[in-house]
Amino acid sequence: MQLPRLMGHRGAAAVAPENTLAGLRAAKDQGVDWVEFDAQLSGDGVPLLLHDDRLHRTTGDRRKIAEVPAAEASRLDAGAWFGPAFAGEPIPLLEEAVALLAALDLQANVEIKPSPGLARETAQACMELLQQHWPKSRPLPLISSFEIAALEEAQRLWPEAPRGYLVKALPQDWQETAERLGCVSVHPWHPGLKPEQVQAIKQAGYQVAAYTVNAPARAAALLAMGVDCLISDDPAALLPVVQEAVTV
Ligand code: G3P
Ligand code: MG
């Protein structure tokens, strides 16, 4: 699997509310072929798109998602906080996102983002749903996570789906972990990323996807270091840099 040069983060989080169907459409409108989004479980075990384990920041609800059934979570407004144009935009179920990705012809990096203590359950439910609903005709999604246990479950249950190892700072044993989990890529936080680390990851045979890159100058520097993929809230702002890097 070849990662794209550029992928929208949480949809396209600078221009539409994160982890919503509107965000997936916005990413498509911004000209990317890939999106990253976060998947976790409702209180009744249904995978849906949400970053935080609490609902407050994006919906105003004071509860944790692990306490709220999917039917109730789906009725919350996850768009109004971002802007009045998005009022009423719901928290989408992963199943709904999969259908929209197919309709939009978008490829996906599904980040397993479990609530505390639920890494295995979250990965299991997401893998089951994806295996059931991901159209056979489409390239498989890239499954990433910071949680080793989630990647282990992804590997066990859907070994064919490519995996990305998400890290903040690159840990000392990154190579051993990436190898054990059969990852195709390593996804480091870009601010601390050094050229020699990018080189080492690539030399070991993995692609590098850096998050969350929004400044064009930093994007150009990362591409010059050899980073394969930029994960960005604002893909349209980085497109010119990416296109220039491809033509030189
Ligand atoms: O997958 C890249 C990035 O989304 C990881 O961090 O916290 O934005 O999910 P976060
Ligand atoms: Mg994420």
Side-chain angles (χ1 to χ4, degrees):
M1 188 229 41
Q2 178 67 50
L3 277 172
R5 285 292 182 121
L6 185 57
M7 132 177 7
H9 181 236
R10 306 185 194 174
V15 297
E18 65 183 55
N19 290 318
T20 63
L21 299 183
L24 303 185
R25 289 190 200 97
K28 179 74 182 181
D29 290 344
Q30 290 229 324
V32 285
D33 299 323
W34 277 72
V35 280
E36 184 264 7
F37 54 80
D38 306 297
Q40 60 171 309
L41 298 185
S42 63
D44 52 349
V46 179
L48 40 73
L49 273 56
L50 189 69
H51 180 274
D52 305 356
D53 56 315
R54 293 182 175 271
L55 288 156
H56 189 253
R57 182 174 58 87
T58 53
T59 71
D61 191 288
R62 291 271 168 200
R63 291 172 295 173
K64 296 177 179 170
I65 185 60
E67 297 166 349
V68 181
E72 210 179 311
S74 297
R75 288 197 294 271
L76 298 173
D77 184 337
W81 73 279
F82 190 85
F86 296 100
E89 189 66 35
I91 296 175
L93 302 181
L94 179 57
E95 185 177 341
E96 295 170 320
V98 166
L100 182 61
L101 292 167
L104 295 175
D105 189 23
L106 268 178
Q107 295 189 63
N109 172 191
V110 181
E111 180 188 343
I112 310 292
K113 181 73 93 185
S115 286
L118 295 180
R120 288 190 190 276
E121 291 87 332
T122 305
Q124 285 161 9
C126 290
M127 291 310 106
E128 190 179 325
L129 186 132
L130 289 169
Q131 280 179 294
Q132 203 177 339
H133 292 282
W134 195 264
K136 301 277 174 280
S137 57
R138 295 190 55 74
L140 295 177
L142 172 65
I143 311 297
S144 66
S145 190
F146 289 102
E147 298 288 335
I148 304 289
L151 289 172
E152 282 172 355
E153 286 305 290
Q155 182 181 30
R156 183 173 72 84
L157 294 169
W158 201 14
E160 305 80 29
R163 284 170 299 285
Y165 176 31
L166 258 169
V167 294
K168 193 164 185 192
L170 198 64
Q172 246 194 333
D173 62 352
W174 68 267
Q175 189 171 347
E176 190 189 313
T177 306
E179 193 178 322
R180 181 169 66 80
L181 296 168
C183 293
V184 301
S185 51
V186 178
H187 301 206
W189 189 52
H190 86 85
L193 191 59
K194 298 189 176 63
E196 50 281 15
Q197 293 176 316
V198 176
Q199 267 172 31
I201 298 170
K202 291 179 63 97
Q203 238 160 36
Y206 302 96
Q207 297 176 70
V208 181
Y211 67 90
T212 302
V213 186
N214 295 329
R218 179 62 176 159
L222 290 163
L223 292 175
M225 280 185 207
V227 167
D228 298 283
C229 174
L230 306 169
I231 303 179
S232 178
D233 293 324
D234 194 5
L238 301 194
L239 262 182
V241 174
V242 168
Q243 280 158 355
E244 196 175 318
V246 170
T247 52
V248 280

Short mmCIF file of all heavy atoms in Angstrom, two decimals, residues 9-10 36 38 51 109 111 113 144 146 166 187 211-212 231, ligand 1:
data_model
loop_
_atom_site.label_atom_id
_atom_site.label_comp_id
_atom_site.label_asym_id
_atom_site.label_seq_id
_atom_site.Cartn_x
_atom_site.Cartn_y
_atom_site.Cartn_z
N HIS A 9 -7.06 15.49 8.02
CA HIS A 9 -7.04 15.05 9.41
C HIS A 9 -8.41 15.22 10.06
O HIS A 9 -8.98 16.33 10.02
CB HIS A 9 -6.00 15.88 10.19
CG HIS A 9 -5.87 15.49 11.63
ND1 HIS A 9 -6.03 16.39 12.66
CD2 HIS A 9 -5.59 14.30 12.21
CE1 HIS A 9 -5.84 15.77 13.81
NE2 HIS A 9 -5.56 14.50 13.57
N ARG A 10 -8.94 14.16 10.64
CA ARG A 10 -10.29 14.16 11.22
C ARG A 10 -11.31 14.65 10.18
O ARG A 10 -12.23 15.39 10.53
CB ARG A 10 -10.36 15.01 12.49
CG ARG A 10 -9.32 14.64 13.55
CD ARG A 10 -9.48 15.42 14.84
NE ARG A 10 -8.31 15.30 15.69
CZ ARG A 10 -8.13 15.95 16.83
NH1 ARG A 10 -9.05 16.76 17.28
NH2 ARG A 10 -7.02 15.78 17.54
N GLU A 36 -8.07 10.84 7.30
CA GLU A 36 -7.89 10.17 8.60
C GLU A 36 -9.08 10.56 9.46
O GLU A 36 -9.56 11.69 9.38
CB GLU A 36 -6.59 10.66 9.25
CG GLU A 36 -6.24 9.96 10.57
CD GLU A 36 -6.68 10.69 11.83
OE1 GLU A 36 -7.40 11.73 11.75
OE2 GLU A 36 -6.36 10.22 12.92
N ASP A 38 -11.04 9.35 13.59
CA ASP A 38 -10.90 8.59 14.83
C ASP A 38 -12.16 7.77 15.06
O ASP A 38 -13.28 8.28 14.93
CB ASP A 38 -10.71 9.55 16.01
CG ASP A 38 -9.56 10.50 15.77
OD1 ASP A 38 -8.42 10.02 15.66
OD2 ASP A 38 -9.80 11.72 15.67
N HIS A 51 -13.13 11.86 18.63
CA HIS A 51 -11.74 11.90 19.09
C HIS A 51 -11.63 11.74 20.59
O HIS A 51 -10.92 10.88 21.09
CB HIS A 51 -11.09 13.22 18.66
CG HIS A 51 -9.66 13.34 19.09
ND1 HIS A 51 -9.28 13.82 20.33
CD2 HIS A 51 -8.51 13.00 18.46
CE1 HIS A 51 -7.96 13.79 20.43
NE2 HIS A 51 -7.47 13.30 19.31
N ASN A 109 -7.74 6.32 6.46
CA ASN A 109 -6.92 5.88 7.58
C ASN A 109 -7.83 5.91 8.81
O ASN A 109 -8.18 6.98 9.29
CB ASN A 109 -5.73 6.83 7.74
CG ASN A 109 -4.90 6.60 8.99
OD1 ASN A 109 -4.05 7.43 9.31
ND2 ASN A 109 -5.11 5.52 9.70
N GLU A 111 -8.23 5.57 12.49
CA GLU A 111 -7.47 5.51 13.73
C GLU A 111 -8.36 4.93 14.83
O GLU A 111 -9.41 5.50 15.14
CB GLU A 111 -6.95 6.89 14.15
CG GLU A 111 -6.17 6.76 15.45
CD GLU A 111 -5.74 8.07 16.10
OE1 GLU A 111 -5.75 9.13 15.44
OE2 GLU A 111 -5.41 8.00 17.30
N LYS A 113 -9.24 4.74 18.34
CA LYS A 113 -9.01 5.71 19.43
C LYS A 113 -9.85 5.31 20.63
O LYS A 113 -10.90 5.88 20.89
CB LYS A 113 -9.41 7.09 18.89
CG LYS A 113 -9.24 8.24 19.82
CD LYS A 113 -7.83 8.62 20.01
CE LYS A 113 -7.38 9.70 19.06
NZ LYS A 113 -5.93 9.99 19.20
N SER A 144 -4.73 2.51 12.00
CA SER A 144 -3.64 2.99 12.85
C SER A 144 -4.12 3.13 14.29
O SER A 144 -5.33 3.19 14.54
CB SER A 144 -3.08 4.32 12.35
OG SER A 144 -4.06 5.33 12.47
N PHE A 146 -2.42 4.50 18.49
CA PHE A 146 -1.35 4.65 19.48
C PHE A 146 -1.32 3.43 20.40
O PHE A 146 -0.35 3.22 21.11
CB PHE A 146 -1.61 5.88 20.36
CG PHE A 146 -1.44 7.21 19.69
CD1 PHE A 146 -2.54 7.94 19.26
CD2 PHE A 146 -0.18 7.75 19.50
CE1 PHE A 146 -2.40 9.18 18.66
CE2 PHE A 146 -0.02 9.00 18.90
CZ PHE A 146 -1.13 9.72 18.48
N LEU A 166 1.16 4.50 15.31
CA LEU A 166 1.12 5.92 15.70
C LEU A 166 1.95 6.15 16.95
O LEU A 166 1.82 5.39 17.92
CB LEU A 166 -0.32 6.31 16.02
CG LEU A 166 -1.13 7.08 14.99
CD1 LEU A 166 -2.59 7.10 15.42
CD2 LEU A 166 -0.61 8.49 14.81
N HIS A 187 3.74 6.57 12.14
CA HIS A 187 3.09 7.88 12.09
C HIS A 187 3.54 8.72 13.30
O HIS A 187 2.89 8.69 14.34
CB HIS A 187 1.57 7.73 12.12
CG HIS A 187 1.00 6.91 10.99
ND1 HIS A 187 -0.29 7.07 10.53
CD2 HIS A 187 1.54 5.94 10.22
CE1 HIS A 187 -0.51 6.22 9.53
NE2 HIS A 187 0.58 5.52 9.33
N TYR A 211 1.92 13.74 11.53
CA TYR A 211 0.72 14.50 11.90
C TYR A 211 1.11 15.61 12.86
O TYR A 211 2.17 15.52 13.46
CB TYR A 211 -0.33 13.57 12.54
CG TYR A 211 0.09 13.03 13.88
CD1 TYR A 211 -0.22 13.71 15.07
CD2 TYR A 211 0.87 11.87 13.99
CE1 TYR A 211 0.20 13.23 16.31
CE2 TYR A 211 1.28 11.39 15.23
CZ TYR A 211 0.93 12.08 16.37
OH TYR A 211 1.36 11.61 17.59
N THR A 212 0.33 16.60 13.10
CA THR A 212 -0.70 17.17 12.23
C THR A 212 -0.07 18.41 11.64
O THR A 212 0.27 19.32 12.41
CB THR A 212 -1.96 17.52 13.06
OG1 THR A 212 -2.43 16.33 13.70
CG2 THR A 212 -3.08 18.10 12.17
N ILE A 231 -0.41 14.51 7.29
CA ILE A 231 -1.80 14.44 7.74
C ILE A 231 -2.16 15.83 8.23
O ILE A 231 -1.55 16.34 9.18
CB ILE A 231 -1.96 13.38 8.86
CG1 ILE A 231 -1.46 12.02 8.36
CG2 ILE A 231 -3.41 13.29 9.31
CD1 ILE A 231 -1.53 10.89 9.39
O1 G3P B 1 -3.63 9.85 13.08
C1 G3P B 1 -2.93 11.04 13.28
C2 G3P B 1 -3.52 11.88 14.40
O2 G3P B 1 -4.90 11.93 14.25
C3 G3P B 1 -3.17 11.35 15.75
O3 G3P B 1 -3.51 12.22 16.77
O4 G3P B 1 -4.95 12.97 18.60
O5 G3P B 1 -5.27 13.93 16.34
O6 G3P B 1 -5.97 11.59 16.82
P1 G3P B 1 -5.00 12.69 17.14
#
